Amino acid sequence: MAQLWPEHFDLALDLAATPTIRVNVGGSPGDGHSAQPYLYVGPWTGDRPGGSELWDAPFRAMLPYEALTGRSDARAVAGGFIGSRLDALGRA
């Protein structure tokens, strides 16, 4: 079930990356951290396997809207972004 978080107005899904690791996967129209819209993957725990090349924000990984605009493969890029972070968490 999707959750709309009114305090920061983004839409996210709460997923189980593994039986013991929960993660929010969603999109934000922008906030105090980024003025532009972005997709994100945010683990509920401090686990960040793979380091800063995967987890580029203090509490999540972000894919800015500008990385998707004008691309014919935008869905594949977005899916790859989300999938790679879920895969990393599954290996944790």
Side-chain angles (χ1 to χ4, degrees):
M1 179 169 93
Q3 172 73 41
L4 180 61
W5 298 97
E7 69 274 7
H8 42 88
F9 203 70
D10 65 350
L11 184 64
L13 299 172
D14 178 6
L15 302 175
T18 71
T20 59
I21 298 176
R22 290 174 61 187
V23 61
N24 285 333
V25 175
S28 172
D31 56 26
H33 186 74
S34 174
Q36 70 172 299
Y38 60 89
L39 297 176
Y40 65 87
V41 178
W44 284 45
T45 67
D47 293 327
R48 301 293 188 274
S52 62
E53 68 275 5
L54 292 180
W55 308 100
D56 55 356
F59 57 91
R60 63 186 171 233
M62 294 175 50
L63 180 65
Y65 178 69
E66 68 184 11
L68 300 173
T69 56
R71 295 186 66 134
S72 62
D73 63 345
R75 286 185 186 182
V77 171
F81 163 77
I82 293 167
S84 65
R85 276 54 178 192
L86 293 177
D87 288 347
L89 288 167
R91 293 188 300 268

